Amino acid sequence: MKIATQTSAELTHVAKLIENIPIAMLTTLEDDGVLASRPMTALEMDAQGALWFFTDVQSSKVGRLRAVNPGLLRATRRKLSRPCQAAPQAR
């Protein structure tokens, strides 16, 4: 995974923890309230600490992510080669 230089000591620590872990579990909330997890390969950790994954923009997981992160739609239009981004939740 490509890891950009991070903007804080905390993100640098996270980057070091995950640099040798090729598979991440992407978890979404289903319509019935059940958590659904699927393995995905992280492609990049950008300078803001966001992890980028490659997936089909029409997939159901992208729709579920858009439900909790409306900004994802702007990200998919801006970076069509990397349409699915999971941003860090804790700061």
Coordinates of all heavy atoms in Angstrom, one line a residue:
M1 N 0.8 -1.2 0.0 CA 0.0 0.0 0.0 C 0.9 1.2 0.0 O 1.9 1.3 0.7 CB -0.9 0.0 1.2 CG -1.6 1.3 1.5 SD -2.8 1.4 2.9 CE -2.1 0.5 4.1
K2 N 0.5 2.2 -0.8 CA 1.2 3.5 -0.8 C 0.8 4.3 0.4 O -0.4 4.5 0.6 CB 0.9 4.2 -2.1 CG 1.5 5.6 -2.2 CD 1.0 6.2 -3.5 CE 1.4 7.7 -3.5 NZ 0.8 8.4 -4.6
I3 N 1.7 4.8 1.1 CA 1.4 5.6 2.3 C 2.1 7.0 2.2 O 3.3 7.1 2.1 CB 1.8 5.0 3.6 CG1 1.0 3.6 3.8 CG2 1.5 5.9 4.8 CD1 1.3 2.9 5.1
A4 N 1.3 8.0 2.1 CA 1.8 9.4 2.0 C 2.3 9.9 3.4 O 2.0 9.3 4.4 CB 0.7 10.4 1.5
T5 N 3.2 10.9 3.3 CA 3.6 11.5 4.6 C 2.4 12.0 5.3 O 1.6 12.8 4.7 CB 4.7 12.6 4.3 OG1 5.7 12.0 3.5 CG2 5.2 13.2 5.6
Q6 N 2.3 11.7 6.6 CA 1.1 12.0 7.4 C 1.3 13.4 8.0 O 2.4 13.9 8.2 CB 0.8 11.0 8.4 CG 0.5 9.6 7.8 CD -0.7 9.7 6.8 OE1 -1.8 10.1 7.2 NE2 -0.5 9.3 5.6
T7 N 0.2 14.0 8.3 CA 0.2 15.4 8.9 C 0.2 15.5 10.4 O 0.3 16.6 10.9 CB -1.1 16.2 8.3 OG1 -2.2 15.4 8.8 CG2 -1.1 16.3 6.8
S8 N 0.2 14.4 11.1 CA 0.2 14.4 12.5 C 0.9 13.1 13.0 O 1.0 12.1 12.3 CB -1.2 14.5 13.1 OG -1.9 13.2 12.9
A9 N 1.4 13.2 14.3 CA 2.0 12.1 14.9 C 1.1 10.9 15.0 O 1.5 9.7 14.9 CB 2.6 12.5 16.3
E10 N -0.2 11.2 15.3 CA -1.2 10.1 15.5 C -1.4 9.4 14.2 O -1.4 8.1 14.1 CB -2.5 10.7 16.0 CG -2.5 11.2 17.4 CD -2.0 12.7 17.4 OE1 -1.8 13.3 16.4 OE2 -1.9 13.2 18.6
L11 N -1.5 10.1 13.0 CA -1.7 9.4 11.8 C -0.4 8.7 11.3 O -0.5 7.6 10.7 CB -2.1 10.4 10.7 CG -3.5 11.0 10.8 CD1 -3.8 12.1 9.8 CD2 -4.6 9.9 10.7
T12 N 0.7 9.2 11.7 CA 2.0 8.5 11.4 C 2.0 7.2 12.1 O 2.4 6.2 11.6 CB 3.2 9.4 11.8 OG1 3.1 10.6 11.0 CG2 4.5 8.7 11.5
H13 N 1.6 7.2 13.4 CA 1.5 6.0 14.2 C 0.6 5.0 13.5 O 0.9 3.8 13.4 CB 1.1 6.3 15.6 CG 1.0 5.1 16.5 ND1 2.1 4.4 16.9 CD2 -0.1 4.5 17.0 CE1 1.7 3.4 17.6 NE2 0.3 3.4 17.7
V14 N -0.6 5.4 13.1 CA -1.6 4.5 12.4 C -1.0 4.0 11.1 O -1.1 2.8 10.9 CB -2.9 5.2 12.1 CG1 -3.8 4.4 11.2 CG2 -3.6 5.6 13.4
A15 N -0.3 4.8 10.4 CA 0.3 4.4 9.1 C 1.4 3.3 9.4 O 1.4 2.3 8.7 CB 1.0 5.6 8.4
K16 N 2.2 3.4 10.4 CA 3.2 2.4 10.8 C 2.5 1.1 11.2 O 3.0 0.0 10.9 CB 4.1 2.9 11.9 CG 5.1 3.9 11.4 CD 6.0 4.4 12.5 CE 6.9 5.5 12.2 NZ 7.8 5.3 11.1
L17 N 1.4 1.2 11.9 CA 0.6 0.0 12.3 C 0.1 -0.8 11.1 O 0.0 -2.0 11.2 CB -0.5 0.4 13.3 CG -0.1 0.8 14.7 CD1 -1.3 1.3 15.4 CD2 0.6 -0.3 15.4
I18 N -0.4 -0.1 10.1 CA -1.1 -0.8 9.0 C -0.2 -1.0 7.8 O -0.7 -1.7 6.8 CB -2.4 0.0 8.6 CG1 -2.1 1.3 8.0 CG2 -3.3 0.1 9.8 CD1 -3.3 2.0 7.4
E19 N 1.0 -0.5 7.7 CA 1.8 -0.5 6.5 C 2.0 -2.0 6.0 O 2.2 -2.1 4.8 CB 3.1 0.2 6.7 CG 4.1 -0.5 7.6 CD 5.4 0.4 7.8 OE1 5.6 1.3 7.0 OE2 6.1 0.1 8.8
N20 N 2.1 -3.0 6.8 CA 2.3 -4.3 6.4 C 1.1 -5.2 6.4 O 1.2 -6.4 6.4 CB 3.4 -5.0 7.2 CG 4.8 -4.3 6.9 OD1 5.1 -4.0 5.7 ND2 5.5 -4.0 7.9
I21 N -0.1 -4.6 6.5 CA -1.4 -5.3 6.5 C -2.1 -5.1 5.2 O -2.6 -4.0 5.0 CB -2.3 -4.9 7.7 CG1 -1.5 -5.1 9.0 CG2 -3.6 -5.6 7.7 CD1 -2.3 -4.5 10.2
P22 N -2.0 -6.0 4.3 CA -2.5 -5.8 2.9 C -4.1 -5.8 2.8 O -4.6 -5.2 1.8 CB -1.9 -6.9 2.1 CG -1.7 -8.0 3.1 CD -1.4 -7.3 4.4
I23 N -4.7 -6.4 3.7 CA -6.2 -6.6 3.6 C -6.9 -5.8 4.8 O -6.5 -6.0 6.0 CB -6.6 -8.1 3.7 CG1 -5.9 -8.8 2.6 CG2 -8.2 -8.2 3.6 CD1 -6.3 -8.4 1.2
A24 N -7.9 -5.0 4.5 CA -8.7 -4.4 5.5 C -10.1 -4.9 5.4 O -10.6 -5.4 4.4 CB -8.7 -2.9 5.2
M25 N -10.8 -4.9 6.5 CA -12.2 -5.3 6.5 C -13.1 -4.0 6.5 O -13.0 -3.2 7.4 CB -12.5 -6.1 7.8 CG -11.8 -7.4 7.9 SD -12.1 -8.5 6.5 CE -13.8 -9.0 6.8
L26 N -13.8 -3.9 5.4 CA -14.7 -2.8 5.2 C -16.1 -3.2 5.8 O -16.7 -4.2 5.3 CB -14.9 -2.4 3.7 CG -15.9 -1.3 3.4 CD1 -15.3 0.0 4.0 CD2 -16.1 -1.2 2.0
T27 N -16.6 -2.5 6.8 CA -17.8 -2.9 7.4 C -18.9 -1.8 7.1 O -18.6 -0.6 7.3 CB -17.6 -3.0 8.9 OG1 -16.6 -4.0 9.1 CG2 -18.9 -3.5 9.6
T28 N -20.1 -2.2 6.7 CA -21.2 -1.3 6.5 C -22.4 -1.8 7.3 O -22.5 -3.0 7.7 CB -21.5 -1.2 5.0 OG1 -21.8 -2.6 4.5 CG2 -20.4 -0.7 4.2
L29 N -23.4 -0.9 7.5 CA -24.6 -1.2 8.2 C -25.7 -1.6 7.1 O -26.0 -0.8 6.3 CB -25.0 0.0 9.0 CG -26.2 -0.2 10.0 CD1 -25.9 -1.3 11.0 CD2 -26.5 1.1 10.6
E30 N -26.2 -2.8 7.2 CA -27.3 -3.2 6.3 C -28.6 -2.6 6.7 O -28.7 -2.0 7.8 CB -27.4 -4.7 6.4 CG -26.1 -5.5 5.9 CD -25.7 -5.2 4.5 OE1 -26.6 -5.4 3.6 OE2 -24.6 -4.9 4.3
D31 N -29.6 -2.7 5.8 CA -30.9 -2.1 6.0 C -31.6 -2.6 7.3 O -32.3 -1.9 7.9 CB -31.8 -2.3 4.8 CG -31.4 -1.5 3.6 OD1 -30.7 -0.5 3.8 OD2 -31.7 -2.0 2.5
D32 N -31.3 -3.9 7.6 CA -31.9 -4.5 8.8 C -31.1 -4.2 10.1 O -31.4 -4.8 11.1 CB -32.1 -6.0 8.6 CG -30.8 -6.7 8.3 OD1 -29.7 -6.1 8.4 OD2 -30.9 -7.9 8.1
G33 N -30.0 -3.4 10.0 CA -29.3 -3.0 11.2 C -28.1 -4.0 11.5 O -27.4 -3.8 12.4
V34 N -27.9 -5.0 10.6 CA -26.8 -5.9 10.8 C -25.5 -5.4 10.2 O -25.6 -4.8 9.1 CB -27.2 -7.3 10.2 CG1 -26.0 -8.2 10.2 CG2 -28.4 -7.9 10.9
L35 N -24.4 -5.6 10.8 CA -23.1 -5.2 10.3 C -22.7 -6.2 9.2 O -22.7 -7.4 9.5 CB -22.1 -5.0 11.3 CG -22.3 -3.9 12.4 CD1 -21.3 -3.9 13.4 CD2 -22.3 -2.5 11.7
A36 N -22.2 -5.8 8.1 CA -21.7 -6.7 7.1 C -20.3 -6.3 6.8 O -20.0 -5.1 6.5 CB -22.6 -6.6 5.8
S37 N -19.4 -7.2 6.8 CA -17.9 -7.0 6.6 C -17.5 -7.7 5.4 O -17.9 -8.8 5.1 CB -17.1 -7.4 7.8 OG -17.5 -6.6 8.9
R38 N -16.6 -7.1 4.6 CA -16.0 -7.8 3.5 C -14.5 -7.4 3.4 O -14.2 -6.2 3.7 CB -16.7 -7.4 2.2 CG -16.5 -6.1 1.7 CD -17.6 -5.0 1.6 NE -18.9 -5.4 1.5 CZ -19.9 -4.9 2.3 NH1 -19.5 -4.1 3.3 NH2 -21.1 -5.1 2.2
P39 N -13.6 -8.3 3.0 CA -12.2 -8.0 2.9 C -12.0 -7.1 1.6 O -12.6 -7.3 0.6 CB -11.5 -9.3 2.7 CG -12.6 -10.2 2.2 CD -13.9 -9.7 2.7
M40 N -11.1 -6.1 1.8 CA -10.7 -5.3 0.6 C -9.3 -4.9 0.8 O -8.7 -4.8 1.9 CB -11.6 -4.0 0.6 CG -13.0 -4.3 0.3 SD -14.0 -2.8 0.1 CE -13.4 -2.3 -1.6
T41 N -8.6 -4.8 -0.4 CA -7.2 -4.3 -0.4 C -7.1 -2.8 -0.3 O -7.7 -2.2 -1.2 CB -6.5 -4.9 -1.6 OG1 -6.6 -6.3 -1.6 CG2 -5.0 -4.5 -1.6
A42 N -6.5 -2.3 0.6 CA -6.2 -0.8 0.7 C -5.2 -0.5 -0.3 O -4.1 -1.1 -0.3 CB -5.9 -0.4 2.1
L43 N -5.4 0.5 -1.1 CA -4.4 0.9 -2.1 C -3.5 2.1 -1.7 O -2.4 2.1 -2.0 CB -5.2 1.4 -3.4 CG -6.1 0.4 -4.1 CD1 -6.8 1.0 -5.3 CD2 -5.3 -0.8 -4.5
E44 N -4.1 3.0 -0.8 CA -3.4 4.1 -0.4 C -3.9 4.7 0.9 O -5.1 4.6 1.2 CB -3.5 5.2 -1.5 CG -2.9 6.5 -1.2 CD -3.1 7.6 -2.3 OE1 -3.7 7.2 -3.4 OE2 -2.7 8.7 -2.1
M45 N -3.0 5.3 1.7 CA -3.3 6.1 2.8 C -2.8 7.5 2.4 O -1.6 7.7 2.3 CB -2.7 5.6 4.1 CG -3.1 6.4 5.3 SD -2.4 5.7 6.8 CE -3.0 6.8 8.0
D46 N -3.8 8.4 2.2 CA -3.4 9.8 1.7 C -2.9 10.6 2.9 O -2.9 10.2 4.1 CB -4.4 10.4 0.9 CG -5.7 10.8 1.7 OD1 -5.6 10.9 2.9 OD2 -6.7 11.1 1.1
A47 N -2.4 11.8 2.6 CA -1.8 12.7 3.7 C -2.8 13.1 4.8 O -2.4 13.5 5.8 CB -1.2 13.9 3.0
Q48 N -4.1 13.0 4.5 CA -5.1 13.3 5.5 C -5.5 12.1 6.3 O -6.4 12.1 7.1 CB -6.3 13.9 4.9 CG -6.1 15.3 4.3 CD -5.3 15.3 3.0 OE1 -5.5 14.5 2.2 NE2 -4.3 16.2 2.9
G49 N -4.9 10.9 6.0 CA -5.2 9.7 6.8 C -6.3 8.9 6.2 O -6.7 7.9 6.8
A50 N -6.9 9.3 5.1 CA -8.0 8.5 4.4 C -7.4 7.3 3.7 O -6.3 7.4 3.1 CB -8.7 9.4 3.4
L51 N -8.1 6.2 3.9 CA -7.7 5.0 3.2 C -8.5 4.9 1.9 O -9.7 5.1 1.9 CB -7.9 3.7 4.0 CG -7.1 3.6 5.3 CD1 -7.6 2.5 6.1 CD2 -5.6 3.6 5.0
W52 N -7.8 4.6 0.8 CA -8.5 4.5 -0.5 C -8.5 3.0 -0.9 O -7.6 2.3 -0.8 CB -7.7 5.3 -1.6 CG -7.9 6.7 -1.4 CD1 -7.1 7.6 -0.6 CD2 -8.9 7.5 -2.0 NE1 -7.6 8.8 -0.7 CE2 -8.7 8.9 -1.5 CE3 -10.0 7.3 -2.8 CZ2 -9.5 9.9 -1.9 CZ3 -10.8 8.4 -3.2 CH2 -10.5 9.6 -2.7
F53 N -9.7 2.6 -1.5 CA -9.9 1.3 -2.0 C -10.5 1.4 -3.4 O -11.1 2.3 -3.7 CB -11.0 0.5 -1.1 CG -10.6 0.5 0.3 CD1 -11.0 1.5 1.2 CD2 -9.9 -0.6 0.8 CE1 -10.7 1.4 2.6 CE2 -9.6 -0.7 2.2 CZ -10.0 0.3 3.0
F54 N -10.2 0.3 -4.2 CA -10.8 0.3 -5.5 C -12.0 -0.6 -5.5 O -11.9 -1.8 -5.1 CB -9.7 -0.2 -6.5 CG -10.2 -0.2 -7.9 CD1 -10.1 1.0 -8.7 CD2 -10.7 -1.4 -8.5 CE1 -10.6 1.0 -10.0 CE2 -11.1 -1.3 -9.8 CZ -11.1 -0.2 -10.6
T55 N -13.1 -0.1 -6.1 CA -14.3 -0.9 -6.2 C -15.2 -0.4 -7.3 O -14.9 0.7 -7.8 CB -15.1 -1.0 -4.8 OG1 -16.1 -2.0 -4.9 CG2 -15.7 0.4 -4.5
D56 N -16.2 -1.1 -7.7 CA -17.1 -0.7 -8.7 C -18.0 0.4 -8.0 O -18.6 0.2 -7.0 CB -18.0 -1.8 -9.1 CG -18.9 -1.5 -10.2 OD1 -19.2 -0.3 -10.5 OD2 -19.4 -2.4 -10.9
V57 N -18.1 1.6 -8.7 CA -18.9 2.7 -8.1 C -20.4 2.3 -8.0 O -21.1 2.9 -7.3 CB -18.6 4.0 -9.0 CG1 -19.3 3.9 -10.3 CG2 -19.1 5.2 -8.2
Q58 N -20.8 1.3 -8.8 CA -22.2 0.9 -8.7 C -22.5 -0.2 -7.7 O -23.6 -0.7 -7.6 CB -22.6 0.4 -10.1 CG -22.5 1.4 -11.3 CD -23.4 2.6 -11.0 OE1 -24.5 2.5 -10.6 NE2 -22.9 3.8 -11.4
S59 N -21.4 -0.6 -7.0 CA -21.6 -1.7 -6.0 C -22.5 -1.3 -4.8 O -22.5 -0.1 -4.5 CB -20.3 -2.2 -5.5 OG -19.7 -1.3 -4.6
S60 N -23.1 -2.2 -4.2 CA -24.0 -1.9 -3.0 C -23.2 -1.4 -1.9 O -23.7 -0.5 -1.1 CB -24.7 -3.2 -2.6 OG -23.8 -4.2 -2.1
K61 N -21.9 -1.7 -1.7 CA -21.1 -1.2 -0.6 C -20.9 0.3 -0.7 O -20.9 1.0 0.3 CB -19.8 -2.0 -0.4 CG -18.8 -1.9 -1.5 CD -17.6 -2.8 -1.2 CE -17.0 -3.3 -2.5 NZ -17.7 -4.3 -3.2
V62 N -20.7 0.8 -2.0 CA -20.6 2.2 -2.2 C -21.9 2.9 -1.8 O -21.9 4.0 -1.2 CB -20.1 2.5 -3.6 CG1 -20.1 4.0 -3.9 CG2 -18.7 1.9 -3.9
G63 N -23.0 2.4 -2.2 CA -24.3 3.0 -1.8 C -24.5 3.0 -0.3 O -24.9 4.0 0.2
R64 N -24.0 2.0 0.4 CA -24.1 2.0 1.9 C -23.2 3.0 2.5 O -23.5 3.7 3.5 CB -23.9 0.6 2.4 CG -24.9 -0.4 1.9 CD -25.1 -1.5 2.9 NE -26.0 -2.5 2.3 CZ -27.3 -2.4 2.2 NH1 -27.9 -1.3 2.6 NH2 -28.0 -3.3 1.7
L65 N -22.0 3.2 1.9 CA -21.1 4.2 2.4 C -21.6 5.6 2.1 O -21.4 6.5 3.0 CB -19.7 4.0 1.8 CG -18.9 2.8 2.2 CD1 -17.7 2.6 1.3 CD2 -18.6 2.9 3.7
R66 N -22.2 5.8 1.0 CA -22.8 7.1 0.7 C -23.9 7.5 1.7 O -24.1 8.7 2.0 CB -23.4 7.2 -0.7 CG -22.3 7.3 -1.8 CD -23.0 7.6 -3.1 NE -22.0 7.7 -4.1 CZ -22.0 6.9 -5.2 NH1 -23.0 6.1 -5.5 NH2 -21.0 7.0 -6.1
A67 N -24.6 6.5 2.2 CA -25.7 6.8 3.2 C -25.2 7.4 4.4 O -25.8 8.2 5.1 CB -26.5 5.5 3.5
V68 N -23.9 7.0 4.8 CA -23.4 7.6 6.1 C -22.3 8.7 5.8 O -21.9 9.4 6.7 CB -22.7 6.5 7.0 CG1 -23.8 5.5 7.4 CG2 -21.6 5.8 6.2
N69 N -21.9 8.8 4.5 CA -20.9 9.8 4.2 C -21.3 10.4 2.8 O -20.8 10.1 1.8 CB -19.5 9.1 4.1 CG -18.4 10.1 3.8 OD1 -18.6 11.3 3.7 ND2 -17.2 9.6 3.7
P70 N -22.2 11.4 2.9 CA -22.6 12.0 1.6 C -21.5 12.7 0.8 O -21.6 12.8 -0.4 CB -23.6 13.1 2.1 CG -24.0 12.7 3.4 CD -22.9 12.0 4.0
G71 N -20.4 13.0 1.4 CA -19.3 13.6 0.7 C -18.6 12.6 -0.2 O -17.8 13.0 -1.1
L72 N -18.9 11.3 -0.1 CA -18.3 10.3 -0.9 C -18.7 10.5 -2.4 O -17.9 10.2 -3.2 CB -18.8 8.9 -0.4 CG -18.2 7.7 -1.2 CD1 -16.7 7.6 -1.0 CD2 -18.9 6.4 -0.7
L73 N -19.9 11.0 -2.6 CA -20.3 11.2 -4.0 C -19.3 12.2 -4.7 O -18.9 12.0 -5.8 CB -21.7 11.7 -4.1 CG -22.3 12.0 -5.5 CD1 -22.2 10.7 -6.3 CD2 -23.7 12.5 -5.4
R74 N -18.9 13.3 -4.0 CA -18.0 14.2 -4.6 C -16.6 13.6 -4.8 O -16.0 13.8 -5.8 CB -17.9 15.4 -3.7 CG -19.1 16.3 -3.6 CD -18.9 17.6 -2.9 NE -18.5 17.4 -1.5 CZ -19.4 17.1 -0.5 NH1 -20.6 17.1 -0.7 NH2 -18.9 16.9 0.7
A75 N -16.2 12.7 -3.9 CA -14.9 12.1 -4.0 C -14.9 11.1 -5.2 O -13.9 11.0 -5.9 CB -14.6 11.3 -2.7
T76 N -16.0 10.4 -5.5 CA -16.0 9.5 -6.6 C -16.0 10.3 -7.9 O -15.4 9.8 -8.9 CB -17.3 8.6 -6.6 OG1 -18.4 9.4 -6.6 CG2 -17.3 7.7 -5.3
R77 N -16.6 11.4 -8.0 CA -16.5 12.2 -9.2 C -15.1 12.8 -9.4 O -14.7 13.0 -10.5 CB -17.6 13.3 -9.2 CG -19.0 12.7 -9.3 CD -20.0 13.7 -9.4 NE -21.3 13.1 -9.6 CZ -22.4 13.6 -9.2 NH1 -22.5 14.8 -8.6 NH2 -23.6 13.0 -9.3
R78 N -14.5 13.2 -8.3 CA -13.2 13.8 -8.4 C -12.1 12.8 -8.7 O -11.1 13.1 -9.5 CB -12.9 14.5 -7.1 CG -12.0 15.7 -7.2 CD -11.9 16.5 -5.9 NE -11.7 15.7 -4.7 CZ -12.6 15.6 -3.7 NH1 -13.7 16.2 -3.8 NH2 -12.4 14.8 -2.7
K79 N -12.2 11.6 -8.2 CA -11.1 10.6 -8.4 C -11.7 9.3 -8.9 O -11.8 8.4 -8.2 CB -10.4 10.4 -7.0 CG -9.7 11.6 -6.5 CD -8.8 11.2 -5.4 CE -8.0 12.4 -4.9 NZ -6.9 12.0 -4.1
L80 N -12.0 9.3 -10.2 CA -12.7 8.2 -10.8 C -11.9 6.9 -10.7 O -12.4 5.8 -10.7 CB -13.2 8.5 -12.2 CG -14.3 9.5 -12.3 CD1 -14.6 9.8 -13.7 CD2 -15.5 9.1 -11.5
S81 N -10.5 7.1 -10.7 CA -9.7 5.9 -10.7 C -9.7 5.2 -9.3 O -9.3 4.1 -9.2 CB -8.3 6.3 -11.1 OG -7.7 7.1 -10.1
R82 N -10.2 6.0 -8.3 CA -10.2 5.4 -6.9 C -11.6 5.8 -6.3 O -11.7 6.7 -5.5 CB -9.1 5.9 -6.1 CG -7.7 5.5 -6.6 CD -6.7 6.1 -5.8 NE -6.6 7.6 -6.0 CZ -5.8 8.4 -5.4 NH1 -4.9 7.9 -4.6 NH2 -5.8 9.6 -5.6
P83 N -12.6 5.1 -6.7 CA -14.0 5.6 -6.3 C -14.4 5.4 -4.9 O -15.5 5.9 -4.6 CB -14.9 4.9 -7.3 CG -14.1 3.6 -7.6 CD -12.7 4.0 -7.6
C84 N -13.8 4.7 -4.1 CA -14.3 4.4 -2.7 C -13.3 4.8 -1.7 O -12.2 4.3 -1.6 CB -14.7 2.9 -2.6 SG -15.4 2.5 -1.1
Q85 N -13.7 5.7 -0.8 CA -12.8 6.2 0.2 C -13.4 6.0 1.6 O -14.6 6.3 1.8 CB -12.5 7.7 0.0 CG -11.6 8.3 1.2 CD -11.5 9.8 1.1 OE1 -12.4 10.4 0.5 NE2 -10.5 10.3 1.6
A86 N -12.6 5.5 2.5 CA -13.1 5.4 3.9 C -12.3 6.3 4.7 O -11.1 6.1 4.8 CB -13.0 4.0 4.4
A87 N -12.9 7.4 5.3 CA -12.2 8.3 6.0 C -12.1 7.9 7.5 O -13.0 7.3 8.0 CB -12.8 9.7 5.9
P88 N -11.0 8.3 8.2 CA -10.9 8.0 9.6 C -12.0 8.6 10.4 O -12.4 9.7 10.1 CB -9.5 8.6 10.0 CG -8.8 8.9 8.7 CD -9.9 9.1 7.7
Q89 N -12.6 7.9 11.3 CA -13.7 8.4 12.1 C -13.2 9.1 13.4 O -13.8 10.0 13.9 CB -14.6 7.3 12.5 CG -15.3 6.7 11.2 CD -16.1 7.7 10.5 OE1 -16.9 8.4 11.0 NE2 -15.9 7.8 9.2
A90 N -12.1 8.6 14.0 CA -11.6 9.1 15.3 C -10.5 10.1 15.1 O -9.6 9.8 14.2 CB -11.2 8.0 16.2
R91 N -10.4 11.1 15.8 CA -9.3 12.1 15.7 C -8.6 12.2 17.0 O -9.1 12.1 18.0 CB -9.8 13.4 15.3 CG -10.4 13.4 13.9 CD -9.3 13.7 12.9 NE -9.9 13.8 11.6 CZ -9.4 13.2 10.5 NH1 -8.2 12.6 10.6 NH2 -9.9 13.3 9.3

